[in-house]
Amino acid sequence: MGTTLITGGTVISAIGRRLADVLIDGESIAAILAPGHAEDYGITADRVIDATDKYVVPGGVDAHVHMSLPFGGTVSADDFDTGSRAAAWGGVTTIVDFASQTFGLDVYDTLGARHEEAAGECHVDYAFHQIIGDVNEDSLKAMTYLVDNEGVTSFKMFMAYPGVFYSDDGQILRAMQNASESGALMMMHAENGIAIDVLVGQALARGETDPKYHAFTRPEETESEATHRAIKLARVAGNVPLYIVHMSASEALEEVSRAQHMGLNVFAETCPQYLYLSIEDHLAQPGFEGSKWVCSTPIRSKHEHHHKDLWKGLRMNELAVVSTDHCPFCFKDQKELGLGDFSKIPNGMGGVEHRMELIYQGVVMGEMTLERWVETCCTTPARMFGLEKKGVLEPGADGDVLVWDPNGKTKIGVDDKHHMNFDHSSYEGFEVQGKVDTVVSRGRVVVENDTYVGVKGHGKFVKRSLSNYLH
Ligand code: URP
Ligand code: ZN
Ligand code: ZN
C-alpha cells in the first residue's frame, strides 16, 4: 500500500480545524504535519492527494445499519457487498450492523451466521452489535462472553414489534442487569409496541390502510413513553449505559435530556430522515408512494417542532450521534407487500450513502459547526462503540479519511448519485452543497474522481472495546 500524503487541506476534528498534511503509512495514519513541510522531514510519499480548498476529515462511522435484514417476509435490499460499497461512496469507512437473535435461536449461532454472511464481502470495515430477542440463561451468559471475547460490546433490544423482536420489561431488565456487570452498552428501540398494535388493529378496522397510517398509529407518546420506561429500567439496573436508537420526536428527546441532567448514562442518536422528511411531504404522498418512507420510529409532521428540536439536540449533545438505520426495501415487490394494509409494509429506508452529505447541510444551514459534523458522524460513534482506531485523524489511528469538497454540489436521486441497491431514493431530488471528493479506507483509496476504485473483501471485521464514554 505504501505511503500516501494528503496535502494542502484543512483538517477538521471534533475539537478544531487547521491547515495540515496527513501522512498515511500502510494502513495507519503516521503523522499530521505542518502544511508543506513533508520534504523537510525527508518524506517522499508514494502517492500524493491534493486537498487544496478541501476539508480532510476522518472517514465516517455509521453505527446503525441493516444489510440483508429479514423483516416482514422479505430481506432488506442491500447486502454486505452493495451496502458497504455504497457506504464508501458516501465517505463512510466503518459500518456497524447487527447479528440478530430472535425467539428460540442461539446467540452464538446468530453471530456466527452473520460473520459468515459478511466475511469477504465488505468494501469498508465493519463491526456488529448483537440483537437479543430471547432472554434466558443461555443468552445472558452469551452476552457476557461476547463482550469478553468477541468484540461485540453492545446489545440492541426492542420494546416494539411484538412477536418478532419484542422483549417485555422483565426481560429487558434482566438483560440490562447483565450488561451492567459486563460493562456493555444497551441500545433500545423505544416504542410501545403493545399499544401500537392496538392502534394498528383499530385503524385497519376503520379501513385506514394507506401508508400514512403507519405514523398515525405510532404517535410520539408511544415513543416518549417507551423512552421514559427504558431510562427508568436502566436506572434500576445500576445505571447501565443506555443508547436510544433512531430518535424521531421532541417529547422523546425531552426524556433523554432530563435523564442526562439527572446524571444518568443515557445517550441517543437520530438519523437524517428525522431531520428532513415529513408525513406531509413524504409518507402521505398519494396512492401507495408513501410506503417508501415507512420506517420505525416513523417520520413525523413538519407542522410540529421535531426537526427544529432534533437539530437543537444535536447541537447541545443531547443527541450524540447521527446514524442512518440504513434498511432499504425496493418499492416493487418489497414495499408492495403492504398494498392494502400499511402494517405489512416492511419497515425501513436507505441512506448509508448520504449521511455525510445530509448532515453537512446542518453546517451550511447554521445548525451546527464543522467540528460538530465530524463529532456526530465520525468521532463520537467510534468512541461510543469502542472503535478505538476509528473516527479520528491522529498517529496510530486507521488510515480512514474523507476528503470533502465544500465547493462541490451533490444531486441525490436514482438517476443522479445513488449507489445503493434499491429502486428509489429516500432523498430523491435533494440538491446539496458539498461533495465527497476522495475516500481512503485503511490506507487504500476507494473513491476518487467520481469513480469507485475499491475492492470487495478489503473491509475487515473490527473487534470493539467497551464504550470509551464510561471506561
Ligand atoms: O424501520 C426500521 N427502523 N427498520 C429497521 C429495523 C429497526 O427497527 O431498526
Ligand atoms: Zn429499531
Ligand atoms: Zn435499525
Side-chain angles (χ1 to χ4, degrees):
M1 239 171 239
T3 51
T4 303
L5 186 68
I6 305 173
T7 174
T10 303
V11 173
I12 316 288
S13 77
I15 56 163
R17 56 189 91 175
R18 61 185 157 141
L19 284 171
D21 295 346
V22 177
L23 180 67
I24 304 172
D25 187 3
E27 298 194 338
S28 307
I29 309 258
I32 308 294
L33 302 161
H37 281 265
E39 279 186 18
D40 300 348
Y41 301 120
I43 296 165
T44 319
D46 300 317
R47 167 179 200 139
V48 175
I49 296 172
D50 181 5
T52 307
D53 296 330
K54 304 201 170 83
Y55 298 141
V56 181
V57 306
V61 178
D62 192 338
H64 185 161
V65 302
H66 302 278
M67 308 306 172
S68 303
L69 176 75
F71 196 109
T74 186
V75 177
S76 64
D78 263 317
D79 60 19
F80 283 101
D81 173 10
T82 62
S84 67
R85 190 171 184 274
W89 270 108
V92 170
T93 50
T94 312
I95 54 172
V96 192
D97 205 299
F98 297 79
S100 183
Q101 182 234 16
T102 48
F103 190 77
L105 297 185
D106 175 78
V107 170
Y108 302 114
D109 289 350
T110 60
L111 179 60
R114 210 61 177 143
H115 272 296
E116 273 178 30
E117 268 183 271
E121 295 293 306
C122 290
H123 294 252
V124 296
D125 288 349
Y126 62 99
F128 294 132
H129 313 285
Q130 177 74 47
I131 289 172
I132 300 292
D134 186 359
V135 176
N136 55 49
E137 288 310 318
D138 288 342
S139 57
L140 290 170
K141 272 197 207 109
M143 284 175 69
T144 309
Y145 185 87
L146 265 47
V147 172
D148 292 344
N149 300 285
E150 297 291 330
V152 175
T153 55
S154 43
F155 299 92
K156 184 178 178 190
M157 298 191 81
F158 291 79
M159 302 169 107
Y161 309 135
V164 188
F165 292 117
Y166 174 82
S167 294
D168 68 26
D169 292 351
Q171 292 161 334
I172 288 170
L173 180 62
R174 286 185 78 198
M176 283 179 167
Q177 287 169 332
N178 181 282
S180 185
E181 278 168 27
S182 69
L185 185 83
M186 293 302 297
M187 305 168 78
M188 192 59 69
H189 180 131
E191 284 188 297
N192 186 327
I194 301 291
I196 287 167
D197 271 10
V198 171
L199 296 175
V200 169
Q202 291 169 343
L204 291 174
R206 287 192 296 269
E208 296 168 351
T209 59
D210 287 349
K212 67 181 176 202
Y213 293 103
H214 174 76
F216 297 155
T217 54
R218 306 178 98 89
E220 80 167 308
E221 290 78 4
T222 58
E223 183 178 349
S224 55
E225 183 280 327
T227 303
H228 179 84
R229 192 157 29 100
I231 289 168
K232 295 296 175 194
L233 291 172
R235 193 175 184 188
V236 172
N239 200 10
V240 68
L242 173 68
Y243 178 96
I244 309 286
V245 295
H246 45 54
M247 182 155 285
S248 74
S250 304
E251 262 190 22
L253 180 62
E254 280 170 29
E255 295 291 345
V256 167
S257 171
R258 192 172 308 126
Q260 290 169 341
H261 282 109
M262 289 169 69
L264 303 178
N265 298 324
V266 175
F267 308 97
E269 68 173 19
T270 191
C271 312
Q273 52 268 36
Y274 305 118
L275 296 163
Y276 288 103
L277 307 179
S278 66
I279 297 176
E280 294 79 8
D281 294 341
H282 301 92
L283 196 59
Q285 283 192 15
F288 193 61
E289 200 62 17
S291 65
K292 293 174 180 171
W293 294 280
V294 165
C295 61
S296 297
T297 54
I299 56 173
R300 305 228 173 248
S301 171
K302 69 176 179 184
H303 300 306
E304 295 165 353
H305 29 83
H306 309 291
H307 290 181
K308 189 169 104 343
D309 287 347
L310 293 175
W311 280 115
K312 187 266 297 176
L314 280 172
R315 250 191 331 272
M316 301 297 286
N317 206 28
E318 293 158 342
L319 293 164
V321 169
V322 181
S323 303
T324 57
D325 193 11
H326 178 79
C327 187
F329 296 96
C330 289
F331 182 75
K332 180 110 198 59
D333 295 339
Q334 292 197 297
K335 290 289 184 180
E336 281 178 351
L337 291 168
L339 264 169
D341 178 351
F342 70 88
S343 72
K344 296 203 164 54
I345 300 169
N347 284 203
M349 67 175 76
V352 72
E353 182 177 352
H354 301 308
R355 185 184 60 129
M356 299 303 289
E357 293 153 1
L358 291 166
I359 302 308
Y360 181 75
Q361 302 321 297
V363 181
V364 175
M365 296 186 295
E367 295 284 0
M368 61 164 67
T369 61
L370 276 173
E371 289 79 4
R372 190 71 185 142
W373 173 54
V374 168
E375 192 169 21
T376 56
C377 292
C378 315
T379 311
T380 299
R383 288 188 63 209
M384 183 70 70
F385 293 107
L387 290 156
E388 302 207 325
K389 294 188 168 184
K390 304 294 186 187
V392 287
L393 297 180
E394 62 183 36
D398 282 346
D400 292 349
V401 185
L402 163 60
V403 180
W404 177 261
D405 179 3
N407 300 308
K409 290 198 188 317
T410 305
K411 217 170 155 193
I412 299 174
V414 276
D415 295 326
D416 296 297
K417 185 170 186 278
H418 179 88
H419 300 92
M420 299 165 286
N421 188 36
F422 63 113
D423 61 3
H424 59 278
S425 170
S426 309
Y427 300 95
E428 184 66 44
F430 275 51
E431 288 193 49
V432 298
Q433 185 65 37
K435 185 177 187 301
V436 170
D437 180 89
T438 304
V439 183
V440 184
S441 163
R442 252 187 308 103
R444 183 190 175 108
V445 175
V446 292
V447 175
E448 63 181 351
N449 303 322
D450 294 319
T451 308
Y452 190 73
V453 293
V455 285
K456 182 163 108 168
H458 165 75
K460 296 265 182 312
F461 175 68
V462 186
K463 278 191 167 188
R464 295 182 292 115
S465 56
L466 298 179
S467 172
N468 300 166
Y469 267 86
L470 297 167
H471 298 278

